[in-house]
């Protein structure tokens, strides 16, 4: 995957954004605690190699990517500091995992759903009926995890979620009127594992139910860098590769980065296991070297 990820998805070689397009978007996908560690490792490694994408005009965060997006956009810690946090003991993080019954519901939902909203509603029913820890307890985890509870003012951060009842997709930002803590909690509410998040009387679940990256939200930007711990899709859920290809076909200069073999080994079988965070971060930092040239080639001069 890695070879195509930084070659097959690119268009344009003039060193600038395509005609009529401007700005850089950074898309950060879902992938559990391992995904958080790996994304920060990749971004740190890219910056070390002279391909820093953290000053992007738009940051799109889905599930794990929403957490990384907040940490980057806050400006409160440097990338090396964020990376070191991933290597520390994951105190306060709650281990979790998906059992066979939950995984079977995901597969059945993909096969039986005609479109993304229908699939979202199916996953919403799973989430609403599951026995999980209380919503307030989960909220406290995110209150401690995030560096700030305020939307960034210097750039646009978009956090994705799905209505648990209707399956409708939502993209929250500072203009949405939704608090950042609730937006991120909703984006990370994995159906069947964590409780849906209540916002203005509605219940919301993981934005990854609609897409692992929701990279289509970067449409119109001249340069798009997608860091996707989970690259696959299926049925009504588009893959990261498919979304990257559509952006490229529309004229954007796109780089898609997905885990290499070493990173997948570091993730292990359970991306929700806090113990996988540090190995994934190290693997992401090591992998970034292979993508630095491709990222530098698409960044605006």
């Amino acid at each position: 995957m890695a070879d195509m990820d930084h070659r097959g998805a690119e268009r344009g070689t003039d060193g600038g954004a395509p005609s009529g397009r401007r700005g850089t978007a950074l898309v950060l996908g879902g992938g559990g605690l391992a995904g958080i560690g790996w994304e920060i490792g990749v971004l740190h490694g890219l910056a070390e190699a002279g391909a820093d994408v953290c000053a992007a005009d738009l940051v799109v965060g889905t599930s794990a990517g929403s957490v990384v997006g907040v940490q980057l956009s806050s400006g409160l810690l440097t990338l090396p500091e964020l990376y070191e946090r991933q290597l520390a003991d994951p105190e306060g993080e709650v281990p979790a995992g998906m059992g066979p019954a939950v995984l079977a519901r995901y597969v059945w939902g993909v096969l039986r759903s005609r479109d993304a909203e229908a699939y979202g509603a199916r996953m919403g029913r799973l989430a609403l009926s599951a026995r999980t820890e209380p919503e307030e307890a989960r909220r406290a985890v995110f209150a401690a995890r995030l560096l700030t509870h305020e939307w960034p003012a210097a750039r646009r951060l978009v956090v994705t979620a799905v209505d648990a009842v209707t399956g409708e997709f939502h993209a929250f930002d500072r203009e949405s009127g939704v608090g950042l803590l609730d937006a991120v909690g909703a984006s990370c509410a994995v159906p069947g594992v964590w409780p849906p998040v209540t916002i203005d009387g509605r219940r919301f679940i993981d934005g990854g139910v609609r897409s692992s990256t929701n990279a289509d939200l970067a449409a119109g930007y001249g340069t798009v860098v997608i860091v996707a711990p989970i690259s696959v899709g299926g049925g009504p859920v588009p893959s990261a590769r498919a979304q990257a290809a559509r952006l490229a076909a529309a004229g954007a200069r796109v780089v898609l980065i997905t885990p290499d073999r070493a990173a997948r080994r570091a993730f292990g079988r359970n991306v929700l296991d806090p113990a996988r965070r540090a190995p994934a971060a190290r693997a992401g930092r090591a992998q970034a070297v292979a993508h630095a040239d491709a990222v530098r080639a698409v960044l605006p001069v």
Side-chain angles (χ1 to χ4, degrees), residues 133-144:
E133 68 176 4
E135 185 178 340
E136 281 306 308
R138 189 63 182 157
R139 194 175 194 272
V141 171
F142 283 95

Side-chain angles (χ1 to χ4, degrees), residues 158-235:
V158 175
V159 173
T160 67
V162 170
D163 188 300
V165 175
T166 67
E168 181 184 2
F169 177 68
H170 286 258
F172 300 122
D173 62 12
R174 65 174 175 265
E175 306 299 329
S176 66
V178 173
L180 180 63
L181 180 57
D182 288 330
V184 173
S187 192
C188 295
V190 180
V193 178
W194 304 121
V197 170
T198 304
I199 299 175
D200 294 333
R202 302 171 71 177
R203 310 295 299 284
F204 289 90
I205 57 175
D206 197 317
V209 167
R210 191 249 190 181
S211 160
S212 67
T213 60
N214 294 297
D216 55 319
L217 295 180
Y221 282 78
T223 297
V224 184
V225 177
I226 305 170
V227 186
I230 299 174
S231 61
V232 298

Side-chain angles (χ1 to χ4, degrees), residues 101-113:
V102 172
L103 289 172
R105 291 280 295 273
Y106 274 73
V107 174
W108 181 249
V110 165
L111 294 175
R112 297 287 294 175
S113 300

Side-chain angles (χ1 to χ4, degrees), residues 6-54:
H6 63 69
R7 289 202 299 263
E10 288 184 31
R11 294 294 186 276
T13 56
D14 60 357
S19 177
R21 291 167 172 264
R22 60 186 177 83
T24 298
L26 173 62
V27 178
L28 302 166
L33 289 170
I36 291 174
W38 178 76
E39 288 181 356
I40 289 177
V42 167
L43 295 172
H44 179 39
L46 287 175
E48 288 181 310
D52 192 346
V53 295
C54 295

